[in-house]
Short mmCIF file of all heavy atoms in Angstrom, two decimals:
data_model
loop_
_atom_site.label_atom_id
_atom_site.label_comp_id
_atom_site.label_asym_id
_atom_site.label_seq_id
_atom_site.Cartn_x
_atom_site.Cartn_y
_atom_site.Cartn_z
N SER C 131 2.79 4.71 -1.83
CA SER C 131 1.48 4.76 -2.51
C SER C 131 1.56 5.47 -3.86
O SER C 131 0.77 5.19 -4.75
CB SER C 131 0.45 5.48 -1.65
OG SER C 131 0.35 4.86 -0.43
N ARG C 132 2.49 6.41 -3.98
CA ARG C 132 2.57 7.13 -5.27
C ARG C 132 3.63 6.50 -6.20
O ARG C 132 3.96 7.05 -7.24
CB ARG C 132 2.85 8.62 -5.04
CG ARG C 132 4.23 8.94 -4.49
CD ARG C 132 4.50 10.43 -4.50
NE ARG C 132 5.78 10.75 -3.88
CZ ARG C 132 6.96 10.66 -4.48
NH1 ARG C 132 7.03 10.24 -5.73
NH2 ARG C 132 8.06 10.97 -3.84
N GLY C 133 4.15 5.34 -5.82
CA GLY C 133 5.02 4.59 -6.73
C GLY C 133 6.46 5.05 -6.76
O GLY C 133 7.18 4.78 -7.73
N ALA C 134 6.93 5.72 -5.69
CA ALA C 134 8.31 6.22 -5.67
C ALA C 134 9.31 5.08 -5.44
O ALA C 134 8.93 3.99 -5.01
CB ALA C 134 8.47 7.25 -4.55
N ARG C 135 10.57 5.37 -5.71
CA ARG C 135 11.62 4.47 -5.23
C ARG C 135 11.88 4.87 -3.78
O ARG C 135 12.21 6.02 -3.50
CB ARG C 135 12.92 4.64 -6.02
CG ARG C 135 14.09 3.97 -5.29
CD ARG C 135 15.41 4.27 -5.92
NE ARG C 135 15.48 3.61 -7.21
CZ ARG C 135 16.62 3.19 -7.75
NH1 ARG C 135 17.76 3.34 -7.13
NH2 ARG C 135 16.61 2.62 -8.93
N VAL C 136 11.71 3.92 -2.86
CA VAL C 136 11.96 4.24 -1.46
C VAL C 136 13.23 3.53 -1.01
O VAL C 136 13.33 2.30 -1.06
CB VAL C 136 10.75 3.83 -0.57
CG1 VAL C 136 11.11 3.96 0.91
CG2 VAL C 136 9.54 4.71 -0.90
N ALA C 137 14.21 4.34 -0.62
CA ALA C 137 15.43 3.81 0.00
C ALA C 137 15.07 3.65 1.47
O ALA C 137 14.90 4.63 2.19
CB ALA C 137 16.57 4.80 -0.19
N LEU C 138 14.91 2.41 1.89
CA LEU C 138 14.33 2.16 3.22
C LEU C 138 15.38 1.92 4.29
O LEU C 138 16.00 0.86 4.35
CB LEU C 138 13.37 0.97 3.17
CG LEU C 138 12.56 0.74 4.44
CD1 LEU C 138 11.48 1.80 4.61
CD2 LEU C 138 11.95 -0.64 4.47
N ALA C 139 15.56 2.93 5.16
CA ALA C 139 16.41 2.74 6.35
C ALA C 139 15.53 2.43 7.55
O ALA C 139 15.90 1.62 8.40
CB ALA C 139 17.24 4.00 6.60
N ASN C 140 14.36 3.08 7.60
CA ASN C 140 13.46 2.94 8.74
C ASN C 140 12.86 1.53 8.79
O ASN C 140 11.83 1.24 8.17
CB ASN C 140 12.34 3.99 8.65
CG ASN C 140 11.32 3.84 9.76
OD1 ASN C 140 10.87 2.74 10.06
ND2 ASN C 140 10.96 4.94 10.37
N LYS C 141 13.53 0.63 9.54
CA LYS C 141 13.06 -0.76 9.58
C LYS C 141 11.79 -0.90 10.41
O LYS C 141 10.98 -1.79 10.17
CB LYS C 141 14.16 -1.67 10.13
CG LYS C 141 14.54 -1.43 11.57
CD LYS C 141 15.86 -2.12 11.91
CE LYS C 141 17.02 -1.25 11.50
NZ LYS C 141 18.32 -1.80 11.72
N GLU C 142 11.60 0.03 11.40
CA GLU C 142 10.45 -0.13 12.31
C GLU C 142 9.13 -0.11 11.54
O GLU C 142 8.19 -0.83 11.88
CB GLU C 142 10.44 0.96 13.38
CG GLU C 142 11.62 0.91 14.36
CD GLU C 142 12.80 1.77 13.90
OE1 GLU C 142 12.82 2.16 12.70
OE2 GLU C 142 13.68 2.05 14.71
#
Side-chain angles (χ1 to χ4, degrees):
S131 303
R132 68 171 176 81
R135 166 188 291 210
V136 171
L138 188 73
N140 177 314
K141 66 195 83 183
E142 295 92 344

